[in-house]
Amino acid sequence: MKVENFEHRHAGHCETGVTSSLLRHYGVELSEPMALGLSASLTFFHFPFVKVGGFPITAYRMPPGSVYGGLRKALGLTMRKQRFGDPDAAMAALDAELAGGRPVGLQASVYWLPYFPPEMRFHFNAHNLIVYGKDGDDYLISDPVFDQPQRCAAADLRKARYARGTFAPKGLLYFPQALPAQFDLRAATQRAIGKTWKMMLHTPVPYVGVRAIEALARRIETLARKNPDLRWQRLFVGNVIRMQEEIGTGGGGFRFMYAAFLQEAGERLDEPALRAAAQRMTDCGDAWRRFALAGAHFARKKPDVTPARLAALLRECAAQERANYEALKAWSKARAA
């Protein structure tokens, strides 16, 4: 049992890659960067009071489900999205969709997927993948993290779909049901960019947007006051960097991917301002990479990096991002006039 003509594609991030591949299979050509940008899923937040693995959650994108959920609104898609209280019902529903020739997106825990190398497994429940077939007791998996399709035994996939904890999947499956004949790319781009700069510049709480980057800089600068244990400080910084560079962001906390969105949108809409913003966003990604490199040195006990140095690098990231979102705000207002 295998979906005909399904094409596996490697991607920078699981949800953007899965969404782009599903839409392509069902007839809508949309690149991974466009999926990120048009869904208005780029952000930054640091919640000191929400812990994952014992450390505050730091994220560079909107919560799980925001990419395909945002595109549903932006493009006028009809999405089938279902969770199941019963694991048997969830597996039966998956088999039924495959028997009908439909590849489906799933949410699962990385830890329980055996095709991940042991050193890459950790308790993260919001990983996205596509199931496009079944061979005996094995499911055929298109996981965008890998450059080749994978296989997963039914028992393992069942366990991964019902892992407990933060972002528990609860058997989630999803796929497009109805697609628009066409959509207004210009209008969708303007709305999406507007949502992004408003979130990054004007969110009233200090845990989201550019203010959150500045708040994280202050927090890292005073890590020793929070906890004098150097091991804890290194783990704190390492966790921030892991979410930025290793959890499928395409590097730089999605900034390079968003730059690709701005570049593609600028070319397709003949908007030089967006192409210029793409270069600035690439520079933002480079700034985040410099922070990541310094943070890795700190986490590996290199004596030349201090929390004060890390905080200064984060403030550079914040300043560059603020300038670019202000430019995008000006572009949006000019187009709305």
Side-chain angles (χ1 to χ4, degrees), residues 11-95:
H13 173 252
C14 65
E15 190 178 341
T16 50
V18 162
T19 303
S20 175
S21 290
L22 280 178
L23 289 177
R24 183 180 293 109
H25 179 82
Y26 285 99
V28 176
E29 282 290 335
L30 197 73
S31 69
E32 184 186 9
M34 292 297 282
L36 175 73
L38 291 180
S39 63
S41 293
L42 185 81
T43 190
F44 179 89
F45 63 81
H46 176 75
F47 291 155
F49 45 83
V50 179
K51 304 287 180 69
V52 175
F55 291 95
I57 186 169
T58 304
Y60 302 79
R61 51 151 290 184
M62 292 291 284
S66 61
V67 175
Y68 55 81
L71 286 177
R72 178 180 59 81
K73 298 175 183 177
L75 307 184
L77 304 173
T78 300
M79 295 285 291
R80 167 83 179 277
K81 178 181 174 183
Q82 190 173 2
R83 297 183 191 270
F84 304 85
D86 178 17
D88 289 336
M91 300 304 286
L94 172 59
D95 289 347

Side-chain angles (χ1 to χ4, degrees), residues 88-148:
D88 289 336
M91 300 304 286
L94 172 59
D95 289 347
E97 300 302 339
L98 294 174
R102 290 177 290 277
V104 298
L106 299 183
Q107 183 179 326
S109 168
V110 169
Y111 187 81
W112 298 110
L113 294 171
Y115 56 80
F116 272 82
E119 63 273 14
M120 291 181 64
R121 293 184 207 165
F122 66 107
H123 290 286
F124 178 67
N125 291 334
H127 185 61
N128 288 261
L129 54 89
I130 297 172
V131 178
Y132 66 95
K134 190 175 183 182
D135 181 16
D137 194 50
D138 286 350
Y139 285 94
L140 308 181
I141 307 290
S142 173
D143 190 319
V145 172
F146 296 87
D147 59 0
Q148 297 294 328

Side-chain angles (χ1 to χ4, degrees), residues 212-258:
I213 303 174
E214 296 165 343
L216 179 59
R218 292 191 295 271
R219 187 174 177 84
I220 288 179
E221 199 168 36
T222 58
L223 275 180
R225 276 186 246 160
K226 176 72 175 176
N227 190 328
D229 182 358
L230 279 174
R231 181 177 180 276
W232 180 88
Q233 294 173 29
R234 293 180 181 118
L235 288 173
F236 182 100
V237 172
N239 186 62
V240 172
I241 293 169
R242 181 177 67 167
M243 297 306 294
Q244 173 190 322
E245 295 294 335
E246 295 184 14
I247 312 301
T249 69
F254 289 97
R255 271 50 189 176
F256 295 125
M257 194 184 298
Y258 197 77

